[in-house]
Amino acid sequence: MNMHATPQRTAAETALIDAFGERLSLLPGDGEVMVKRDDAIEALKAGLPTKRIESWHYTDLRRLLTSVPAHDGAVQAKAIAPLLEGSTVLSALNGATAGKLPSIEGVTVQSLAEKLTDGSFAPALDPYGFDDAIGALNTAFVADGYFVDIADGTEPETPLELQNVQAGGQTHMRFPVRVGTGAKATIVERQTGEGAALVSSVSQLVLGDDAEVLWLIVQEQPDTATHLAQFKAKLGKNSKLTLFLMNAGGKLVRQEIIVDAAGEGAVFTLRGINLLAGDTHTDVTMVLDHSVPHTSSTEVIRNVVTGKARGVFQGRINVAQYAQKTDAKMACNTLLLSDDGEFSAKPELEIFADDVQCGHGATVTEIDHNHLFYLMARGIDEKTARGLLVKAFVAEVIEELEVEPVVEALEALLDGWFQTHG
Amino acid sequence: MLEIKNLHARIAESGVEIIRGLNLTVKAGEVAAIMGPNGSGKSTLSYILAGRPDYEVTEGEILYNGESILEMDPAERAAAGIFLAFQYPMEIPGVATMEFLKVAMNAQRKARGEEPLKIPELIKRVKEEAGLLSMDMAMLKRPLNVGFSGGEKKRAEILQMKLLQPNLCVLDETDSGLDIDALKIVSDGVNALRSPDRAIVVITHYQRLLEHIVPDSVHVLYKGQVIKSGDKSLAFELEENGYAGIIEEAA
Ligand SMILES: Nc1ncnc2c1ncn2[C@@H]1O[C@H](COP(=O)(O)OP(=O)(O)O)[C@@H](O)[C@H]1O
Ligand SMILES: [Mg+2]
């Protein structure tokens, strides 16, 4: 066997390349966008990333993506109730925007299919660094999504929910959002559905100076779906981004978080919960750049691992030489509830500045038997007592969000998950 | 109500025997005090009654209302009416005290086939009992026992006991860490539970607590056995002369 020979294409790789040929004429885009699509499929032709590529070391996509479903335009996906009551919902069903566009003062909403053809969007499709397989997959196939612009100084009265619901086949969506100077918004990103779909979804947030955003990603795909997602954000001066991520489903999931704290005084907060069950694989990979002085970030990831689930958190923080006074703290804590489950945490700090405060920590624990005994000694049956302790472990990061309706909605999701997986 | 016969038990992990042929009977309506020097096995006995899995019963029997409880898990024992007030109550971060009280009370009600308590009723009852124990409601907004002082933890144990209304109450050194005023308040709480169909086992080092919770019987535990039983005068005797005489006498 020759180790250096180009390996044969996998079934999934072949299916993707074939699908591109079939879909191309139906995909929206101006000339420049089509060039980007073509570049992207060329990148994919070189092969899906394997574990030999550092950023994919724990998620050998080439091996794990065993098949790719065909595009299926016939299936129906139904919109769901918003996470936060009273939200303005922008739904994308089975890969296409649905319903009429809302009119909110100071907020411009366009379908991405339209945006892709207006001659302005191609630069936003540039890949992120090397090995941007999710970016490439999405660029090649993206069919629709929402482009949202929140004008300077605007604070929409209701939260905005970007709803991506799949019903099988393939779904490739993109959600670029610009939040203007001093604007303030709560944005919910729902990723869900009922089919054995291949989903790629890219969210791109540009946060103006002094803007403030709470962005909640709730991923609840069924355990038959592959979910490959990217969240990219660029933070303006003194802006604040709180990103909350909850992974509570999917067979093969990779959520990339790529944040550039590019404006002085920017504050980034990441709180993540991975609820992992069954025979599934979930990867959260963050790359955070502190590129200018006086920016700060904290990241807390809490994982609950049951069954044969495997989880990964890679957290890379780059502090540029010029980015003095950076304050960055990262923690990844795992509660391992089964002998067959596993979680790999890989924090990486690349610090080129000398006057910074940076730290990270990772722990793996089991349920504390003394705590369990105490609860049971009060008459709480073992299953309920375990549930209370597991919930306590993750609920801490939810309570930190402090916004009452948000905390309640997320805790209800937690309860739901524990009821089916507890 | 409680009959312990020739009980032998060891630490599950190391196999070291701690309880070595212990006999004790406590009748309904009775308040029994268990005294004994440090390390004699008092807490171990209380844990075994509650069903802590760290200990293994190797011989003997524990009958509660005539039936063996050895096969029951801690939750089943609690639902059957056995309550242990811990010597060292545990801090459980992330579990809100009120939520815990609600789940515990309703779990026990459910086990007895009763309807769950409605939130307003629950809050009312907790407020009443907390008031009697001079506890601040603000404390109950915190996670369970987290950041409570030693004395606050002991009061919280008695609060739980009063809310759960058990039939067999086992109090492990509830007096330690309490000042005189708190001791009085906690003792009043325990005395309020005295009733003809309830038994109370008070584990203590000191005669002091027994001035407030006057026992019907006193048992001296030493090296995992009850070496002497008597009425409340035995406690006075111990206070006067220490354990040495009784230990010698039993040897
Ligand atoms: N889980 C345990 N692991 C190790 N040693 C234990 C454990 N439980 C009890 N012991 C030992 O058993 C003896 C009795 O302890 P304990 O029941 O706490 O005594 P008391 O409450 O009377 O002071 C002590 O020597 C103690 O160290
Ligand atoms: Mg003790």
Side-chain angles (χ1 to χ4, degrees):
Chain A
M1 197 167 71
N2 182 349
M3 300 282 285
H4 300 284
T6 311
Q8 267 200 330
R9 281 204 178 119
T10 63
E13 285 164 348
T14 306
L16 285 173
I17 292 161
D18 291 351
F20 188 71
E22 289 158 25
R23 295 282 296 151
L24 186 59
S25 63
L26 303 166
L27 292 170
D30 50 50
E32 283 174 74
V33 165
M34 291 327 245
V35 171
K36 297 285 179 194
R37 289 193 191 278
D38 211 51
D39 293 348
I41 199 72
E42 286 306 315
L44 289 175
K45 278 182 188 166
L48 292 170
T50 68
K51 64 168 188 257
R52 269 167 296 183
I53 292 179
E54 200 193 341
S55 59
W56 289 87
H57 181 72
Y58 296 93
T59 300
D60 189 324
L61 189 63
R62 187 165 191 272
R63 188 175 60 78
L64 292 170
L65 189 68
T66 48
S67 68
V68 168
H71 180 82
D72 188 350
V75 291
Q76 299 279 314
K78 283 194 204 67
I80 53 173
L83 179 73
L84 305 173
E85 219 179 275
S87 296
T88 301
V89 178
L90 299 176
S91 42
L93 306 177
N94 196 33
T97 55
K100 73 176 209 291
L101 298 176
S103 69
I104 314 165
E105 216 182 302
V107 182
T108 311
V109 180
Q110 270 180 284
S111 86
L112 193 83
E114 186 186 312
K115 195 74 195 165
L116 283 167
T117 54
D118 77 358
S120 72
F121 200 73
L125 293 171
D126 280 338
Y128 166 78
F130 304 105
D131 316 320
D132 183 8
I134 296 179
L137 177 67
N138 188 269
T139 294
F141 291 100
V142 63
D144 210 345
Y146 286 101
F147 178 88
V148 178
D149 186 287
I150 300 175
D152 294 355
T154 307
E155 189 176 335
E157 274 174 24
T158 66
L160 214 58
E161 176 161 316
L162 302 165
Q163 207 173 78
N164 190 18
V165 187
Q166 57 88 3
Q170 291 188 30
T171 291
H172 303 282
M173 304 298 280
R174 212 172 254 254
F175 302 99
V177 176
R178 192 193 77 91
V179 178
T181 303
K184 215 176 148 184
T186 296
I187 296 168
V188 181
E189 176 185 330
R190 300 288 288 282
Q191 301 283 357
T192 186
E194 292 184 334
L198 169 66
V199 177
S200 81
S201 180
V202 175
S203 300
Q204 289 167 283
L205 172 66
V206 177
L207 207 53
D209 295 350
D210 301 304
E212 249 180 71
V213 164
L214 169 62
W215 187 297
L216 310 159
I217 300 176
V218 176
Q219 184 276 113
E220 297 175 285
Q221 298 286 7
D223 62 4
T224 47
T226 297
H227 182 80
L228 302 173
Q230 218 169 49
F231 173 89
K232 296 201 263 192
K234 189 166 178 168
L235 276 51
K237 270 189 200 150
N238 297 316
S239 68
K240 271 198 190 128
L241 170 61
T242 299
L243 175 63
F244 178 87
L245 166 67
M246 178 153 147
N247 277 312
K251 175 183 170 56
L252 169 58
V253 175
R254 168 131 158 159
Q255 171 74 57
E256 296 177 349
I257 297 165
I258 300 158
V259 174
D260 186 4
E264 284 194 23
V267 178
F268 173 58
T269 305
L270 169 65
R271 294 293 179 269
I273 293 180
N274 291 307
L275 304 173
L276 310 182
D279 188 2
T280 61
H281 182 103
T282 303
D283 172 335
V284 175
T285 292
M286 179 194 81
V287 181
L288 167 62
D289 284 300
H290 285 278
S291 345
V292 297
H294 297 286
T295 59
S296 64
S297 73
T298 63
E299 298 81 31
V300 179
I301 306 288
R302 293 273 165 100
N303 313 298
V304 175
V305 182
T306 68
K308 287 201 262 180
R310 294 168 307 280
V312 179
F313 173 66
Q314 305 188 98
R316 185 186 171 99
I317 301 180
N318 301 316
V319 180
Q321 190 172 6
Y322 159 70
Q324 301 295 1
K325 307 284 180 195
T326 292
D327 190 338
K329 303 253 171 334
M330 176 161 62
C332 178
N333 313 109
T334 302
L335 191 59
L336 199 55
L337 299 178
S338 107
D339 293 340
D340 298 326
E342 61 178 58
F343 199 96
S344 312
K346 185 185 171 203
E348 266 183 298
L349 302 181
E350 285 275 350
I351 302 170
F352 295 102
D354 47 23
D355 184 14
V356 300
Q357 298 236 358
C358 296
H360 65 79
T363 60
V364 177
T365 49
E366 293 171 12
I367 287 217
D368 186 318
H369 283 86
N370 296 321
H371 291 174
L372 186 64
F373 170 61
Y374 187 85
L375 296 181
M376 289 180 73
R378 295 302 178 249
I380 303 172
D381 67 80
E382 181 168 354
K383 191 176 166 196
T384 309
R386 280 181 184 277
L388 272 178
L389 292 172
V390 177
K391 192 178 154 195
F393 176 76
V394 286
E396 266 180 323
V397 298
I398 293 180
E399 274 147 28
E400 254 186 80
L401 294 172
E402 280 179 354
V403 187
E404 192 87 17
V406 173
V407 171
E408 275 174 24
L410 293 173
E411 287 192 337
L413 287 186
L414 261 192
D415 287 339
W417 190 87
F418 286 122
Q419 249 151 44
T420 34
H421 299 90
Chain B
M1 174 161 287
L2 176 66
E3 270 178 281
I4 303 176
K5 296 181 190 163
N6 187 32
L7 188 70
H8 288 258
R10 61 187 188 194
I11 299 167
E13 205 176 21
S14 62
V16 174
E17 185 166 70
I18 308 289
I19 303 296
R20 305 181 177 95
L22 185 146
N23 292 289
L24 178 71
T25 300
V26 185
K27 292 202 254 327
E30 185 176 339
V31 174
I34 295 182
M35 303 183 76
N38 258 333
S40 55
K42 303 184 298 296
S43 291
T44 302
L45 174 64
S46 75
Y47 288 141
I48 290 168
L49 287 172
R52 191 168 187 151
D54 306 51
Y55 303 97
E56 242 171 46
V57 171
T58 51
E59 212 184 313
E61 207 27 289
I62 304 177
L63 302 180
Y64 171 66
N65 291 330
E67 302 204 22
S68 171
I69 58 168
L70 292 180
E71 294 301 314
M72 293 162 76
D73 79 13
E76 291 165 336
R77 296 184 195 197
I82 299 175
F83 182 94
L84 167 63
F86 285 64
Q87 182 174 4
Y88 303 109
M90 285 161 210
E91 299 194 3
I92 308 194
V95 175
T97 305
M98 256 327 223
E99 168 80 1
F100 160 76
L101 291 174
K102 184 185 86 183
V103 175
M105 287 171 77
N106 285 336
Q108 297 206 12
R109 292 175 74 90
K110 192 174 160 200
R112 291 193 295 263
E114 295 165 18
E115 286 294 304
L117 269 183
K118 298 240 164 30
I119 299 290
E121 172 65 16
L122 177 96
I123 292 177
K124 188 170 149 260
R125 289 200 47 199
V126 172
K127 262 195 181 146
E128 266 170 31
E129 296 294 355
L132 290 173
L133 290 163
S134 309
M135 285 174 76
D136 191 351
M137 281 299 279
M139 242 173 74
L140 303 178
K141 297 213 170 81
R142 284 193 259 161
L144 189 52
N145 291 328
V146 175
F148 289 21
S149 71
E152 284 170 339
K153 284 180 187 165
K154 294 303 176 72
R155 286 182 209 213
E157 292 290 289
I158 301 303
L159 172 71
Q160 292 175 34
M161 185 168 88
K162 293 197 73 187
L163 290 169
L164 293 169
Q165 298 274 314
N167 299 322
L168 173 62
C169 310
V170 181
L171 290 87
D172 190 4
E173 303 219 17
T174 298
D175 49 340
S176 64
L178 294 183
D179 60 31
I180 300 286
D181 293 338
L183 185 68
K184 176 89 175 56
I185 290 166
V186 163
S187 303
D188 288 347
V190 176
N191 285 328
L193 279 178
R194 289 182 91 139
S195 105
D197 40 38
R198 187 172 280 134
I200 300 176
V201 176
V202 186
I203 295 171
T204 183
H205 254 332
Y206 305 106
Q207 152 68 18
R208 190 176 77 148
L209 177 69
L210 303 180
E211 283 167 15
H212 298 279
I213 307 173
V214 181
D216 302 302
S217 60
V218 175
H219 310 269
V220 179
L221 189 61
Y222 181 67
K223 289 192 171 169
Q225 283 186 326
V226 173
I227 55 167
K228 185 162 185 169
S229 296
D231 62 15
K232 67 182 177 201
S233 64
L234 179 56
F236 287 108
E237 196 186 319
L238 287 169
E239 185 81 354
E240 293 278 295
N241 309 322
Y243 292 106
I246 288 172
I247 290 167
E248 241 165 68
E249 201 181 300

